[in-house]
Amino acid sequence: MTDSKYFTTTKKGEIFELKAELNSDKKEKKKEAVKKVIASMTVGKDVSALFPDVVNCMQTDNLELKKLVYLYLMNYAKSQPDMAIMAVNTFVKDCEDPNPLIRALAVRTMGCIRVDKITEYLCEPLRKCLKDEDPYVRKTAAVCVAKLHDINAQLVEDQGFLDTLKDLISDSNPMVVANAVAALSEIAESHPSSNLLDLNPQSINKLLTALNECTEWGQIFILDCLANYTPKDDREAQSICERVTPRLSHANSAVVLSAVKVLMKFMEMLSKDLDYYGTLLKKLAPPLVTLLSAEPELQYVALRNINLIVQKRPEILKHEMKVFFVKYNDPIYVKLEKLDIMIRLASQANIAQVLAELKEYATEVDVDFVRKAVRAIGRCAIKVEQSAERCVSTLLDLIQTKVNYVVQEAIVVIKDIFRKYPNKYESVIATLCENLDSLDEPEARAAMIWIVGEYAERIDNADELLESFLEGFHDESTQVQLQLLTAIVKLFLKKPTETQELVQQVLSLATQDSDNPDLRDRGYIYWRLLSTDPVAAKEVVLAEKPLISEETDLIEPTLLDELICYIGTLASVYHKPPSAFVEGGRGVVHKSLPPRTASNESTESPETAPAGAPTGEQPDVIPTQGDLLGDLLNLDLGPPVSGPPLTTSSVQMGAVDLLGGGLDSLMGDEPEGIGDTNFGAPPPAAPARVGAPIGSGLSDLFDLTSGVGTLSGSYVPPKAVWLPAMKAKGLEISGTFTRQVGSISMDLQLTNKALQVMTDFAIQFNRNSFGLAPAAPLQVHAPLSPNQTVEISLPLNTVGSVMKMDPLNNLQVAVKNNIDIFYFSTLYPLHILFVEDGKMDRQMFLATWKDIPNENEAQFQIRDCSLNAEAVSTKLQSSNIFTIAKRNVEGQDMLYQSLKLTNGIWVLAELRIQPGNPSFMDLELSLKCRAPEVSQHVYQAYETILKN
Amino acid sequence: MIHSLFLINSSGDIFLEKHWKSVVSRSVCDYFFEAQERATEAENVPPVIPTPHHYLLSVYRHKIFFVAVIQTEVPPLFVIEFLHRVVDTFQDYFGVCSEPVIKDNVVVVYEVLEEMLDNGFPLATESNILKELIKPPTILRTVVNTITGSTNVGDQLPTGQLSVVPWRRTGVKYTNNEAYFDVIEEIDAIIDKSGSTITAEIQGVIDACVKLTGMPDLTLSFMNPRLLDDVSFHPCVRFKRWESERILSFIPPDGNFRLLSYHVSAQNLVAIPVYVKHSISFRGSNSLGRFEITVGPKQTMGKTIEGVTVLSQMPRGVLNMSLTPSQGTHTFDPVTKMLSWDVGKINPQKLPSLKGTMSLQAGASKPDENPTINLQFKIQQLAISGLKVNRLDMYGEKYKPFKGIKYMTKAGKFQVRT
């Protein structure tokens, strides 16, 4: 007897018959009828018409029948809300049943009935069940809160269920804890701002305890929740890691991967010198390898994650190359992923094996796989220089097979190899040319044309070859057309005598017969170049190309760091942050790896904390882009400082580079004009003041003449991150302000955390309170390559336009580079504005002091200063706060001081130094100024100078 | 969490759907069908498919696609692991997992699925617990139920559900107390043309069948535990004890379960028990190619190799093969180009061989791919890694159980390139 009998129907009205059976007196018949109904439901038949009859069967002692009716209710209650109310009473009664199974079943089912009217009745039973004596009921109720939240979030908050749920995290039963965490995580996902899972060391400890005892699924929820926690220091991170590592041996691969996520994230906080760090690295490899022996679907997800892990920490799997070798009956999606990782792991040590494998793969059947394998050979050549020769000969072997798509792929990658190792492998060009006719894909055609153009002087019949392409010029794709245009121009520049006709033909095809603007414009540029100054044209078109980078297809470091926080999630499968694809724009919080902090330092001396950490100190004064744009767009972002040309794109081919470089000179940016012979060399400019403050040698001289006995400049606060890389497409800016002998400068440190080269930097300030403005354009002489950092000192003056800002010392800055324009704002310390001639005459001081009304006087306290009066005076003087007189009143030193701001405002100060505890002084500062709003900032300047 | 589940057969019919939250229209599967069409073979359908509003995660087993629908960011491994668990459970309940069986037991399937997930959260996935909640159908029980009117749904809370040992039920009683352990190792290897090993690794498992009364506490120790540096344990194993003493200490689940799985990858530890000598040439006269393979034992520690099967996907250009085996039977399917040779036992004195000619498509050039030979074999009483159980002890109960250990080595993905 099987359930298939439930599908057999008699000819006349099936529903009608079921109805009769449902209303039968016999229990057994009723149950069979309900089963038939359920069976119809499971295959998608509409049996909602039977709703009242089925609900009538609910009042029963028979648990199976009850469950079946519940199943039915969950499915159809939505479509029959009024009828569903009929069931409420039974639910409420069942929630009090002595059997915990029935209590749990009732509360579970009620939560699944997505009808508003029912949810009102659900609250009371749910509250009881959350406090039920039986953990099975409690854990079911925890999930029910998440269900209810999904239906009516407001109700859940109003009823205080969230708090009850938070309490369950401390429940004695691990299963209840796990479910509470799961429910809270799900709720938190729709409320990213709410601090539902407020993790602290105590709750973390509870979770870690529950982790050992709950089910595998519960472990996943707890581990994912742990991953969101940021330990306060490396010791805590290590202790959590120690308790999580046993999970790496779990049979459930999802548990393993979630544990890997926690470890990868917290490892970031551990010092690399630690023994434990090395141990942990070693422990991570075996579980990752084991994931690859699981079912193919699991392998796929694991491989996508391993791809991220090997980019972040290649050392973990560097010896495990062989497990990524492809088996011929692996599903294609596994094969492609394995191949990707093989290339990432390829190194000089294992390249021979890898190449042998890749060659094997290139003869397989699956076209996609073969293509990728061929491409991989090229990538190996570029990555491991020692293997380049072998790779090229392998590629040539493959070209000999004459398999169409293999040949095309091989030519595309050989083009890249030429770029990487110029003048090394050109001997193979002849072989390539033999296969010209078999190329039918635009990418391969474009690559071949590029090769012909680039090496035109070595190919005897280059003109014939290119001419053959020209016949069908208008049927080619844009990529090929552009390439052909450039190649023929190159050919003309190399062999001008024979190819004049050809070049005219292509120029007229590109400029007159084409409606593609890119093609037309490029045609015109070449034309103009060739007609005005062929020498310049040669310089531009045949300029040396920058080498292409070693690794391709790397994920941007900032994105990679974010993705590491999402190991094991969909984000890690797609290699995109959740914000890029999660449905409905639910605000997704950006996750980032924790900064490395050592426990002993961070607690005691906040100044030594990493520069990135104390961003919280800055008041939130960054205006929205919209506000700023109005102001900044009016300002001219300054002439682009032309670095060396030919840097716009290193991955694309020559033609694009030429445009970038050529344009710079065409537009007459440099006074020398077109055709300048030193074109290509960095333009003459002031020497780079990298790092060192302006003319530090000069400061001595100045000091001597001015008679002020201080040799050092004013206090320089440490550099802080002003613009994190996340917000500026990979450009990170940190900086500080200095004042040295009368000139103010902004010391910037630019770091390129993106994958592409950055050029064309420019800077502009918004109007500000003291008219601060750059005194010279931002000079970044060399293009900033990935991961490179450059230090620049930007001289400032105070003759810019003035607008009062709030706070007074707020400065809004726009920085431009070849990628985009970025905005940030920062606060500058006021003491950079204290001028050198701020020493007031004694008499004048007394008169002014009296003259300024008393309501302009402001009092401040500076506590725990370790200096005596003498030292204070000297220290302040170096920042241009001058002591005019000194008095000793009742054992307390009184200093009278003056300072002047760049805009001529005088500030007078009376500083009372009273001994506080034995080694520290308490200072009392009275400031008088005609513009009292500066007092607060002057006080801050005092405090920073004295405390550092 | 997991929103819905669709079961789809290889011809693309949805034959079962289950929703744990609101109902998701089955039209969402259209995206799956598109992917299915694009993939040449069912195995190649990608396991994660994005759609505008949902994600489809699927596993393919027993010629059925199990497609889970999710709406929010959920760990995909969790979903895929769960789907595999569903398949395992069906197999456990019904003996086989196939479309007709699922259709025959649709109500039980539905009840089981309802027990396994609540609102998309896993509820009970241990087969021990599930079986207490919903009794698997047997002919006997069906008969009894019809007579007595009792049901196959348990009305007691399963005892394992909340205890510290959720995998074991209480009150187990047996007249014959016995515990069997099978150490099974599979060799995955790729051998290149010249017969040298490119990669070789061992996937080992210890499967147990424990039928012991009460709450026995077992310890299992190995002669050479150092082999096991990459292991995954059943939750019952006390990890601390393993870390410190390299002893497996556990309270076993009742019945069949996998105690641990392990992975040995160090090349020098993996012995290759067979070799294949092959000479395949597509360059004969009159569109004839020559084909000859011989299989022989290599490092077998004196044990016999049995159940040998040779499978090879021949290139498209091969029209037919005319071969003679020295032992066993062989078939060649001219449509799928699959050659299979059922060899049986290898007798070291008289090595089995298969030779003959292939008729090739006239005029076609030499195929650019060489066939790969897939090998299957079994070796009884041998764990190829050398793993050996030292002793098994039982604490906590008075009786003396019957204990047994069996070793076996099999070919996993064992491939020889030609």
Side-chain angles (χ1 to χ4, degrees), chain A residues 3 67 253 290 322 570, chain B residues 73 81 104 115 118 230 267:
Chain A
D3 293 348
K67 276 192 170 182
S253 60
T290 305
K322 286 189 175 174
L570 282 170
Chain B
E73 175 64 91
E81 276 277 357
D104 281 350
E115 273 325 311
D118 176 20
D230 182 4
Q267 192 110 47

Side-chain angles (χ1 to χ4, degrees), chain A residues 1-4 6-7 28 31 35 38-39 41-44 62-64 67-68 71 74-75 99-101 108 112 114 134-136 139-140 143 146-147 150 173 175 179 182-183 186 189 213 216-217 220-221 224 246 248-254 257 283 286-287 289-291 293 295 297-298 300-302 320 322-323 325-333 353 357 360-361 363-366 403 568-571 573-574 578 581-583 586, chain B residues 1 15-18 20-23 26 43-50 52-53 55 57-61 70-78 80-82 84-85 103-108 110-111 114-115 117-119 121-123 125-126 133-134 142 146 149-158 161-163 166 188-190 193 198-199 201 203 229-235 239 243 263 265 267 313 316 368-369 372 374 413 415 417:
Chain A
M1 267 223 305
T2 69
D3 293 348
S4 55
Y6 302 129
F7 292 109
E28 201 47 37
K31 198 170 86 187
K35 278 194 175 180
I38 300 281
M41 190 177 85
T42 54
V43 291
N62 184 311
L63 192 59
E64 186 181 19
K67 276 192 170 182
L68 290 171
L71 278 177
M74 285 186 241
N75 223 359
N99 183 344
L101 198 60
R108 187 173 131 201
C112 293
R114 309 173 62 87
D134 193 300
Y136 181 75
K139 82 168 195 166
T140 314
V143 174
K147 292 179 194 169
D150 196 29
N173 186 293
M175 251 76 87
N179 273 15
E186 195 181 66
E189 209 173 308
E213 291 168 15
E216 50 198 311
W217 314 109
I220 301 170
F221 299 132
D224 284 346
L248 293 176
S249 301
H250 202 285
N252 186 318
S253 60
L257 203 57
K283 280 195 178 165
V289 171
T290 305
L291 288 180
S293 50
E295 286 83 358
E297 299 91 358
L298 299 169
Y300 171 73
V301 177
E320 304 289 349
K322 286 189 175 174
V323 296
F325 284 179
V326 172
K327 308 228 164 61
Y328 90 100
N329 44 5
D330 281 336
I332 180 72
Y333 54 83
Q353 279 181 322
E357 280 296 301
E360 197 70 46
Y361 304 159
T363 62
E364 282 214 24
V365 212
D366 192 291
V403 178
T569 67
L570 282 170
V573 175
Y574 289 107
F581 64 88
V582 166
E583 167 86 351
R586 289 177 167 186
Chain B
M1 297 294 119
F15 65 92
L16 189 104
E17 60 184 288
K18 168 89 184 99
W20 285 276
K21 292 184 164 187
S22 51
V23 176
R26 54 164 71 190
E43 288 82 5
N44 287 340
V45 178
V48 185
I49 300 170
H53 302 286
Y55 292 91
L57 283 84
S58 61
V59 303
Y60 181 68
R61 280 179 67 181
I70 59 174
Q71 209 162 15
T72 49
E73 175 64 91
V74 178
L77 274 188
F78 150 75
I80 295 172
E81 276 277 357
F82 177 81
H84 280 296
R85 206 61 59 87
K103 277 186 171 165
D104 281 350
N105 296 287
V106 69
V107 177
V108 176
Y110 219 67
E111 285 173 321
E114 183 63 27
E115 273 325 311
L117 277 187
D118 176 20
N119 196 38
F121 296 104
L123 199 60
T125 51
E126 285 284 338
L133 283 169
I134 296 150
T142 323
T146 355
S150 67
T151 73
N152 62 344
V153 171
D155 53 4
Q156 286 299 310
L157 192 56
Q161 184 71 298
L162 283 163
S163 73
D188 289 350
I190 303 178
K193 280 186 192 52
I198 292 178
T199 87
E201 52 190 8
Q203 314 289 350
D229 62 343
D230 182 4
V231 275
S232 305
F233 296 115
H234 188 275
F239 189 74
E243 283 268 275
H263 181 229
S265 59
Q267 192 110 47
Q313 174 77 50
R316 271 160 297 182
D368 45 77
E369 14 148 6
T372 302
N374 231 13
K413 285 184 170 176
Q415 307 181 349
R417 291 178 182 160

Side-chain angles (χ1 to χ4, degrees), chain B residues 175-248:
Chain B
T175 39
N176 294 321
N177 288 294
E178 41 194 24
Y180 296 105
F181 293 86
D182 291 350
V183 180
I184 303 165
E185 297 191 337
E186 286 191 5
I187 309 177
D188 289 350
I190 303 178
I191 313 288
D192 77 358
K193 280 186 192 52
S194 60
S196 52
T197 311
I198 292 178
T199 87
E201 52 190 8
I202 296 171
Q203 314 289 350
V205 294
I206 300 186
D207 281 343
C209 175
V210 175
K211 294 182 172 169
L212 297 174
T213 308
M215 269 288 168
D217 197 332
L218 304 180
T219 59
L220 185 73
S221 64
F222 298 96
M223 307 278 268
N224 38 10
R226 272 201 295 160
L227 279 172
L228 304 175
D229 62 343
D230 182 4
V231 275
S232 305
F233 296 115
H234 188 275
C236 69
V237 176
R238 297 180 180 103
F239 189 74
K240 283 243 168 66
R241 189 96 191 263
W242 170 256
E243 283 268 275
S244 55
E245 300 170 53
R246 298 276 138 176
I247 283 174
L248 291 178

Side-chain angles (χ1 to χ4, degrees), chain A residues 380-400:
Chain A
C380 284
I382 289 166
K383 194 174 172 194
V384 186
E385 186 162 1
Q386 292 78 359
S387 73
E389 189 140 7
R390 291 241 287 289
C391 294
V392 171
S393 75
T394 309
L395 286 170
L396 284 180
D397 287 353
L398 289 172
I399 288 177
Q400 299 303 348

Side-chain angles (χ1 to χ4, degrees), chain A residues 306-324:
Chain A
I306 289 173
N307 200 329
L308 292 175
I309 293 169
V310 294
Q311 285 186 62
K312 179 75 188 164
R313 297 190 186 283
E315 62 271 35
I316 295 179
L317 288 168
K318 66 177 174 212
H319 299 303
E320 304 289 349
M321 169 63 89
K322 286 189 175 174
V323 296
F324 299 103

Side-chain angles (χ1 to χ4, degrees), chain A residues 37 170 606 825 856 893:
Chain A
V37 173
S170 316
S825 74
N856 277 12
D893 286 319

